[in-house]
Amino acid sequence: MTTSAFIASLTTNSSLLALWGALLLHWLLPIPSPLHLLRIWHRLALLITARVNHS
């Protein structure tokens, strides 16, 4: 695959461009561990289970 074909595939497939952009952004500016989405969902799940199983 030539460079121009690669650039053409990026510009025609906007989802591919968004995916590469997100990967590059995550590589350059990593998300701090306390703010990572999986940790937030895990904390939310623990709060919900604490309220449901409070007996």
Side-chain angles (χ1 to χ4, degrees):
M1 180 181 266
T2 63
T3 305
S4 60
F6 180 71
I7 292 173
S9 70
L10 281 179
T11 56
T12 56
N13 298 327
S14 59
S15 59
L16 185 61
L17 182 62
L19 182 67
W20 278 108
L23 185 64
L24 183 65
L25 183 67
H26 185 66
W27 184 57
L28 292 175
L29 300 169
I31 300 171
S33 183
L35 297 178
H36 200 275
L37 189 59
L38 290 176
R39 288 218 187 242
I40 292 172
W41 280 111
H42 186 253
R43 277 188 258 145
L44 179 65
L46 289 177
L47 288 172
I48 290 172
T49 56
R51 286 185 176 223
V52 169
N53 301 324
H54 66 282
S55 62

